[in-house]
């Protein structure tokens, strides 16, 4: 729901609450130990991601504000934990790499760029999507290169694009 009466922080709060309910419901379908394999977990988690992404090209800039990001990021992080069957002690940077999920800020930037470029480009939607995904993976890699979290994962998986393409692509 995009509500004209809500500001972007309130929109992020609304989307975060709605996605949290969806995540909790889907997590009942997949216990953390045992249960479905990673691809099935990713499929169930894609519903949460879809809820978070609804209207995100419009309010993506709100994620630059820490207060708004705190409403969205934990739901996304818990979804990534569920895909990876990881514990809550795993950092968001590490679990995003293991789960093969772009960080929510990078995903928001990608969706916003896709939204704005569809009007101005001559590329087909498929080519545009591939180009923006490559740009997002580059942004994700530079974010990981400068991050202080998930250093053990970074030692094991220094190149995100190779890992994601081999294991999730």
């Amino acid at each position: 729901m995009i509500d004209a009466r809500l500001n972007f922080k309130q929109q992020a709060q609304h989307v975060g609450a709605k996605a949290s309910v969806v995540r909790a419901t889907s997590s009942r379908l997949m216990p953390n130990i045992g249960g479905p394999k990673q691809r099935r977990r990713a499929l169930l988690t894609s519903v949460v991601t879809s809820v978070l992404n609804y209207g995100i090209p419009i309010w993506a800039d709100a994620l630059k504000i820490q207060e708004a990001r705190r409403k969205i990021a934990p739901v996304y992080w818990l979804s990534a934990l569920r895909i990876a069957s990881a514990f809550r002690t795993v950092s968001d940077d590490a679990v995003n790499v293991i789960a093969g999920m772009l960080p929510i800020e990078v995903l928001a930037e990608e969706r916003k760029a896709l939204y704005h470029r569809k009007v101005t480009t001559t590329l087909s939607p498929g080519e545009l999507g591939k180009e923006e995904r490559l740009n997002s993976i580059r942004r994700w890699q530079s974010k990981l290169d400068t991050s202080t979290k998930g250093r053990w994962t970074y030692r094991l998986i220094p190149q995100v694009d190779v890992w994601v393409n081999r294991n999730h692509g």
Side-chain angles (χ1 to χ4, degrees), residues 19-36:
S20 181
V21 170
V22 171
R23 189 206 58 78
T25 304
S26 69
S27 69
R28 290 186 194 109
L29 298 172
M30 50 183 176
N32 206 30
I33 308 275

Side-chain angles (χ1 to χ4, degrees), residues 76-129:
Y76 194 73
W77 172 69
L78 288 170
S79 297
L81 285 175
R82 194 55 83 166
I83 288 176
S85 294
F87 294 105
R88 289 176 176 249
T89 55
V90 178
S91 72
D92 56 345
D93 287 343
V95 79
N96 283 336
V97 171
I98 294 166
M101 293 173 61
L102 290 171
I104 190 68
E105 303 89 25
V106 174
L107 186 61
E109 289 174 29
E110 177 183 301
R111 298 295 165 99
K112 182 179 175 185
L114 279 171
Y115 178 77
H116 290 297
R117 287 189 61 195
K118 278 183 185 177
V119 178
T120 62
T121 188
T122 58
L123 295 175
S124 71
E127 292 171 333
L128 181 61

Side-chain angles (χ1 to χ4, degrees), residues 2-169:
I2 299 288
D3 190 343
R5 295 171 292 177
L6 298 178
N7 65 29
F8 290 142
K9 284 192 263 184
Q10 292 169 330
Q11 181 68 30
Q13 182 177 2
H14 174 76
V15 168
K18 188 172 182 178
S20 181
V21 170
V22 171
R23 189 206 58 78
T25 304
S26 69
S27 69
R28 290 186 194 109
L29 298 172
M30 50 183 176
N32 206 30
I33 308 275
K37 301 285 185 213
Q38 187 172 15
R39 289 200 187 261
R40 288 193 181 117
R41 291 171 183 271
L43 179 63
L44 289 170
T45 299
S46 69
V47 177
V48 175
T49 305
S50 294
V51 170
L52 289 172
N53 284 330
Y54 181 73
I56 207 163
I58 298 165
W59 58 268
D61 291 335
L63 290 177
K64 294 177 183 169
I65 301 168
Q66 187 175 5
E67 183 182 343
R69 196 172 43 251
R70 272 188 270 164
K71 306 291 184 193
I72 301 288
V75 177
Y76 194 73
W77 172 69
L78 288 170
S79 297
L81 285 175
R82 194 55 83 166
I83 288 176
S85 294
F87 294 105
R88 289 176 176 249
T89 55
V90 178
S91 72
D92 56 345
D93 287 343
V95 79
N96 283 336
V97 171
I98 294 166
M101 293 173 61
L102 290 171
I104 190 68
E105 303 89 25
V106 174
L107 186 61
E109 289 174 29
E110 177 183 301
R111 298 295 165 99
K112 182 179 175 185
L114 279 171
Y115 178 77
H116 290 297
R117 287 189 61 195
K118 278 183 185 177
V119 178
T120 62
T121 188
T122 58
L123 295 175
S124 71
E127 292 171 333
L128 181 61
K130 285 179 184 178
E131 185 178 304
E132 280 303 322
R133 181 51 53 116
L134 287 174
N135 290 339
S136 295
I137 289 176
R138 284 188 205 109
R139 281 194 301 270
W140 185 17
Q141 184 68 55
S142 69
K143 183 179 186 259
L144 282 175
D145 290 345
T146 60
S147 177
T148 59
K149 301 184 291 183
R151 292 295 83 193
W152 277 102
T153 306
Y154 185 79
R155 285 184 192 170
L156 299 172
I157 311 169
Q159 291 300 114
V160 162
D161 56 346
V162 175
W163 170 258
V164 170
N165 290 334
R166 184 175 345 129
N167 296 302
H168 305 288

